[in-house]
Amino acid sequence: MTSPNPLEGAQEIQQMVVGYAKQETVEPLKSLGRYLGFGIAGSLFVFLGAFFFGLGLLRLMQSLEVFSGSSWASSLPYVIAMAALLLILVLIYSAMSRARKKVR
């Protein structure tokens, strides 16, 4: 019988430790990066959609003859567009809180 070589045992332990570290750190970080990338892209698209919706609504109301009277009537489209954007913000927040409750 030959006695086990301590150098081979140490190399095997090192390979096991390196493999375990990669499995437990690198792979979860890759999936986290993918998740974060989709989240940032999604939030950017939601922001752009809300921005263009608000701008379009404002321009639509400014083109109407109803709001082209006195000085207070000309500021009414801004107030309505802001209220619509706040409503969208509240709807998004309520949807996020409902989804967060489902996860818990």
Side-chain angles (χ1 to χ4, degrees), residues 33-49:
R34 190 176 314 116
Y35 181 76
L36 189 62
F38 282 127
I40 290 173
S43 64
L44 179 67
F45 286 135
V46 167
F47 169 76
L48 286 174

Side-chain angles (χ1 to χ4, degrees), residues 4-13:
N5 188 356
L7 186 58
E8 288 176 4
Q11 287 175 346
E12 184 180 332
I13 290 174

Side-chain angles (χ1 to χ4, degrees), residues 4-23:
N5 188 356
L7 186 58
E8 288 176 4
Q11 287 175 346
E12 184 180 332
I13 290 174
Q14 178 191 12
Q15 288 175 354
M16 278 187 359
V17 168
V18 168
Y20 179 75
K22 283 182 181 178
Q23 175 186 346

